[in-house]
């Protein structure tokens, strides 16, 4: 029984390590924000990633004027008010300009396009599952250990 409690503790430690890896590395793989642009106003966004996906959504369902500096990019998808760009950069910038006469509220996200970005959420869920398994193993082992001690005392 003590070995199974030790196994449960090891599960807990591994699960916590996976969660720590997730929380340390995941926030550095994307940049997000919300911005209100008045008529004619611009917003400059730095792209620190070599390969990236830039997505934005605005409240007017029309494309904003996007200027890419030191970036090679293609418009990949456009649907209503969601616009995606995929490209390569070396410390480039994305300049978003409101080319309309009304203020525009837009939300954006710049995602580092590396395979590790897609692996990190898997680590998060795997860490949670392993922690739950560790707690179950510890709990059942403790209950069985107490039960065996109680039976040994009665004899």
């Amino acid at each position: 029984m003590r070995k199974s409690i030790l196994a449960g503790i090891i599960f807990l430690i591994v699960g916590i390590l996976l969660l720590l890896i997730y929380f340390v590395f995941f926030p550095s793989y994307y940049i997000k924000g919300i911005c209100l642009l008045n008529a004619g106003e611009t917003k400059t966004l730095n792209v620190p990633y070599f390969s990236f996906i830039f997505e934005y959504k605005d409240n007017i369902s029309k494309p904003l004027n996007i200027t890419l500096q030191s970036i090679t990019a293609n418009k990949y998808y456009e649907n209503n008010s969601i616009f995606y760009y995929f490209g390569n950069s070396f410390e480039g910038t994305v300049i978003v300009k409101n080319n309309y006469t009304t203020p525009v509220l837009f939300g954006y996200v710049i995602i580092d396009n590396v395979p590790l970005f897609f692996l990190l959420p898997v680590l998060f869920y795997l860490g949670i599952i392993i922690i739950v398994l560790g707690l179950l193993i510890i709990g059942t082992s403790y209950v069985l250990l107490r039960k065996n001690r109680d039976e040994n005392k009665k004899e």
Side-chain angles (χ1 to χ4, degrees):
M1 293 299 166
R2 292 176 194 237
K3 288 182 182 181
S4 58
I5 290 176
L6 182 63
I9 292 171
I10 291 171
F11 270 67
L12 280 176
I13 291 170
V14 170
I16 290 170
L17 285 175
L18 290 176
L19 289 179
L20 285 175
I21 290 170
Y22 171 80
F23 285 116
V24 168
F25 289 114
F26 192 72
S28 64
Y29 282 93
Y30 67 91
I31 302 167
K32 65 180 179 176
I34 297 173
C35 186
L36 175 65
L37 292 177
N38 293 319
E41 190 177 357
T42 62
K43 170 82 174 171
T44 302
L45 307 170
N46 293 322
V47 180
Y49 312 122
F50 177 72
S51 180
F52 71 96
I53 299 169
F54 172 66
E55 172 191 345
Y56 78 92
K57 179 179 174 78
D58 60 42
N59 64 339
I60 60 171
S61 300
K62 296 178 186 175
L64 296 171
N65 185 6
I66 304 288
T67 305
L68 307 170
Q69 294 182 337
S70 301
I71 295 175
T72 306
N74 296 319
K75 187 183 284 189
Y76 181 66
Y77 179 74
E78 182 177 326
N79 183 9
N80 289 335
S81 60
I82 303 174
F83 306 93
Y84 296 93
Y85 291 84
F86 174 79
N88 295 318
S89 166
F90 185 73
E91 296 181 12
T93 57
V94 175
I95 300 170
V96 182
K97 181 178 181 182
N98 180 2
N99 48 336
Y100 301 103
T101 57
T102 60
V104 175
L105 179 67
F106 80 100
Y108 64 91
V109 64
I110 302 171
I111 302 170
D112 192 359
N113 188 30
V114 294
L116 185 59
F117 176 78
F118 300 105
L119 175 67
L120 287 172
V122 172
L123 290 178
F124 176 76
Y125 293 117
L126 188 61
I128 289 176
I129 290 169
I130 289 175
I131 287 173
V132 169
L133 285 174
L135 290 173
L136 287 173
I137 291 171
I138 290 171
T140 55
S141 298
Y142 182 74
V143 168
L144 292 175
L145 183 63
R146 297 275 313 228
K147 185 178 178 182
N148 283 343
R149 282 186 185 169
D150 292 341
E151 287 177 0
N152 288 339
K153 285 182 181 179
K154 288 180 182 178
E155 294 174 0

